[in-house]
Structures are given as C-alpha cells and as structure tokens.
Amino acid sequence: MTATFAPAFRSIFNDPRRTLFYILTIAFLVMVILAPTAIANGYSRQLSDLIPTYISDRVIMMNASADTISTSILEYSVVNELRKAGFKRVYGELLTRSELVVEDQILDVIVRGVDDIKGFYGYVGARINGSRPEEEREVNIGILLAKKLNIGLGDEIEIVEGESAWRLRVVGIIDCSCPCDYEIMTRLNVLWKIVPDLKDKVSLIELQVSNGQKLEDVERFVSEHFNDVKLLREKPFEEAAENLIEATFNSIKNWTLPLYAMILVAAYFTTLKISIDSEKEVAVLRCIGASRRDAFSYILFKSLLIIEFGIVVGLSFGIISAEIIFRAMSLIFFTGSYQPPSLTIIDLIKVICLTHVFAIAGAVYPAFKIFSKRDEILWRSTYQS
C-alpha cells in the first residue's frame, strides 16, 4: 500500500486549481471553528488574570439542624459570647415574615431586625437616603420594595403580626444590592417587641474577622463552645467570577457545535468528490499492473493528504484571524494586559480526529466501489461516454 503514497502525493499537484479549492474549503471551515475557540480561550485567561485576589473574611452562622435561614433559630447569647471572645464585627439578625399594609396594598414581606444597624450597613456596603432608625417606631425600607409600593421618606406603613398591628414611619431608604433591598429594616429589640415569641432569639449571625484574626479561629471557637451552630463561609469573589467566566467560555464554545457539523459534512463530501474524480487515475494504475488494494490505498492517501493540507492551512488561518480580532478588541476596550488567543490540546485533537474520521468515511465508499469493479468495466466506465 505504501507504494501508492508517492503517486497520490504527486497527483494532488497535477490539477492545482481543483486541489486548492478542496484545501481552502476544508481550511475555511477549520478556521471558522478554531478562531472563536481560540478567542474564548484567550479571553478566559485574560479575565482570570484581571480578577483581583480576594480572601474571604466573612462567615454566616445558623442553627445546625436548619436547612434554610427561615427555619434557623439561635439564642442571642451566642452573639454575646462571640463578642466577649474578641470578635468585633458580629451582627445578630432576626428575620420574620409579616404582612405589610400600605394604604390599600397588602404584601407579604421579610422584616429584618439587627442589633447593630450602623455596623451592619457598613458591613453590607449599604447606601442610605435619610437616616437610620433610632426610635421604636422608625424603620428603613429597601429601595426595591419602596419603588414597588411607591413608599417615600416620612410615609407610614403598618406591620401586621398575628393579632397585633404596628404603625411605623419610614425614615430611610437603603440601597445595598443585596437581599435587604427588598426588606424592612429595624432594630432587633423593636422586632422582639413585634414578635415577642422570638425574644432573645436570632435567625443568623454574620461575622467578619479583623485585627489579624482568621476564619479558622472562628471555626475553632464555635466548635469548642456551641454544638448547635454551623458555619457557612462566604464564597470568594474570584471563585464566583471564575465560574461565570467558565460558563461564558462554555457558551461560546457551544456556538461552534453547528460549525463542527458543517466541517464534518464538508470533509465527507470533499473526499467523496476526490474519490469520484480519481477514477481515471485509478484506471490507469490498474492498467499498468496496480492491484485493487493499491487502487483503494491510492484514493485513501490522496484524500487524506488533501485533508492534512486543509487542516494545516485552517489552523494557521484560525490562529492568525483570532490574533487579529482579539488584538483589535483589546485595543478598542483598553484592557491593558494582553493574553494571546490559544488552543488547547483537546481542541486540536477534537478537530483533527473528527475531520479525519469523516474524511475517511467519504473516501471509503467510492474507493470500495472502484476496488470491486473489474478492470474492463472500470476502463469503460471511465473513458467511454
């Protein structure tokens, strides 16, 4: 079979125009697949490099037997014990669900009571329009809830809890891009009066370590002193950002799936056409003594050689075009650092292997037909009209 490799190699230069057409067809489709993949790889690396290193220093504590915050109940004494142990930024919070009545509107809302509202607002980065609640009948309301119910500063709202109703005045509207934007905020001791069954109870405790402390110190203290408390670490920012980048990267790569189908179909029909166009050459080889196996291998080698050239050209065009597009976009958006587009080994293996499989599939059937024809039939079908 190797004896037919040299004739097959020479034959692809006998008709350079047709061979170039086949090569560029495969090359263009390979380029269309690899360029967005290379760009996606480059942007993934570049965005990962731009993410600042951030070590989470926050933890949430809740009842160990509770599945959600709404079912979690802890003794407020846990907060006092943590503060006595030297942990400064500790915030005890009680969350209840109550009916909110504003004029003729009734809505089921979450009321959050916090023992240190000033510190808590700094902890969540809340911006406040107005003032923090200081008196018993004063509350803050989240910006999203205020917009939904058209509530402004100085308006009165009514909280219904069981058989009792509390009329409260809105003294501030908070905006923190957090769940509090859709809640009512009040002091913890006020919420204990509204819901007396939960006096001296909290739903959760939020803690931020400081002054050289570590989260491991918190975990050690809690495990030594409390059996019914579990800790939930805040997800680091860079981990969340990397998950988002990976999801975006995978979405971009999924867009190439239809293109994979196109290149595989093109590879199949290209080698099919190559095989059909090679019947005259095969007839000549058979007449000068080539075996049927040699004829079969001749078509196979010729098809694979064209596919190889197409893949090499496509890889080159794909990387070059990705480099140009990526550099242009980096200049437009002033990203500063620059990570060139790149292809992973898996990307290359996937394209090369699938292209070869379908190319061989396209060449095998016509080559097998030629293989099964007798010499005189092959000669007549090739040279007689």
Side-chain angles (χ1 to χ4, degrees):
M1 293 179 65
T2 55
T4 58
F5 178 81
F9 184 80
R10 287 194 299 269
S11 68
I12 64 176
F13 297 102
N14 292 336
D15 190 353
R17 184 174 299 179
R18 178 173 296 181
T19 299
L20 184 62
F21 172 76
Y22 292 147
I23 292 175
L24 292 180
T25 299
I26 300 298
F28 174 76
L29 293 172
V30 171
M31 177 192 73
V32 171
I33 289 177
L34 295 183
T37 302
I39 291 174
N41 287 334
Y43 267 113
S44 177
R45 291 169 53 202
Q46 180 156 339
L47 290 175
S48 297
D49 290 345
L50 293 175
I51 295 173
T53 301
Y54 171 78
I55 300 175
S56 176
D57 57 356
R58 300 182 180 188
V59 67
I60 294 177
M61 304 180 199
M62 58 183 289
N63 193 293
S65 60
D67 295 326
T68 62
I69 296 295
S70 60
T71 59
S72 173
I73 296 294
L74 292 172
E75 295 292 334
Y76 184 72
S77 58
V78 177
V79 177
N80 293 327
E81 291 294 328
L82 288 166
R83 286 173 177 161
K84 288 179 181 177
F87 300 105
K88 303 297 183 183
R89 299 178 182 177
V90 183
Y91 310 100
E93 305 166 42
L94 178 62
L95 281 71
T96 64
R97 189 169 289 275
S98 306
E99 281 190 352
L100 170 64
V101 181
V102 181
E103 297 179 350
D104 59 343
Q105 302 180 82
I106 300 176
L107 188 66
D108 193 35
V109 300
I110 292 177
V111 182
R112 185 186 297 254
V114 184
D115 59 349
D116 178 10
I117 286 186
K118 181 180 179 180
F120 181 76
Y121 282 179
Y123 172 77
V124 297
R127 299 168 294 279
I128 182 168
N129 178 18
S131 61
R132 295 185 299 274
E134 301 292 343
E135 303 296 330
E136 185 176 279
R137 298 283 176 169
E138 294 179 346
V139 295
N140 287 164
I141 188 169
I143 187 170
L144 297 180
L145 186 59
K147 287 182 178 179
K148 181 175 182 176
L149 299 177
N150 195 27
I151 297 173
L153 294 176
D155 289 351
E156 289 194 347
I157 60 175
E158 187 174 82
I159 298 292
V160 179
E161 182 63 39
E163 299 296 327
S164 60
W166 287 67
R167 292 196 65 82
L168 307 167
R169 187 165 63 91
V170 176
V171 296
I173 298 175
I174 61 170
D175 179 6
C176 65
S177 300
C178 68
C180 299
D181 287 346
Y182 209 78
E183 298 174 354
I184 294 174
M185 300 289 299
T186 186
R187 292 182 300 145
L188 181 59
N189 57 355
V190 173
L191 189 54
W192 281 340
K193 292 180 180 180
I194 296 174
V195 191
D197 292 344
L198 295 177
K199 183 174 174 55
D200 296 326
K201 301 289 193 300
V202 292
S203 302
L204 68 131
I205 301 168
E206 296 196 54
L207 182 149
Q208 183 177 17
V209 296
S210 58
N211 300 326
Q213 296 170 332
K214 298 179 180 179
L215 289 180
E216 289 75 11
D217 299 331
V218 181
E219 293 174 343
R220 188 182 308 109
F221 180 82
V222 170
S223 64
E224 291 174 354
H225 293 81
F226 310 108
N227 296 323
D228 59 343
V229 177
K230 65 179 177 182
L231 277 66
L232 304 175
R233 285 199 179 199
E234 182 185 63
K235 193 174 187 179
F237 168 73
E238 66 270 18
E239 182 181 342
E242 285 176 359
N243 290 340
L244 177 61
I245 292 171
E246 184 179 357
T248 305
F249 168 71
N250 290 332
S251 297
I252 294 174
K253 295 189 73 174
N254 288 338
W255 297 344
T256 64
L257 293 178
L259 300 177
Y260 271 105
M262 288 176 58
I263 187 174
L264 299 179
V265 171
Y268 176 84
F269 284 105
T270 299
T271 52
L272 183 66
K273 187 67 169 64
I274 293 170
S275 301
I276 294 173
D277 292 343
S278 300
E279 284 196 3
K280 289 184 179 181
E281 300 165 17
V282 172
V284 173
L285 289 174
R286 294 289 298 278
C287 290
I288 61 175
S291 65
R292 292 180 178 180
R293 182 174 297 180
D294 290 336
F296 182 89
S297 63
Y298 173 84
I299 293 176
L300 193 61
F301 282 139
K302 184 176 180 180
S303 301
L304 287 176
L305 284 169
I306 291 177
I307 291 296
E308 302 298 340
F309 283 122
I311 290 175
V312 171
V313 175
L315 286 173
S316 303
F317 285 177
I319 293 296
I320 293 172
S321 60
E323 181 77 24
I324 293 172
I325 295 171
F326 193 73
R327 185 176 289 273
M329 295 180 70
S330 297
L331 292 174
I332 292 172
F333 294 108
F334 303 101
T335 56
S337 62
Y338 179 79
Q339 290 287 349
S342 60
L343 294 170
T344 65
I345 298 298
I346 295 177
D347 295 329
L348 293 174
I349 291 175
K350 188 188 300 182
V351 172
I352 293 172
C353 290
L354 291 177
T355 304
H356 278 82
V357 168
F358 276 76
I360 293 173
V364 164
Y365 178 68
F368 181 76
K369 286 181 64 177
I370 294 173
F371 176 83
S372 61
K373 285 183 180 180
R374 296 198 303 270
D375 293 349
E376 60 272 16
I377 296 176
L378 177 64
W379 183 266
R380 285 199 302 267
S381 63
T382 303
Y383 286 97
Q384 293 181 4
S385 57

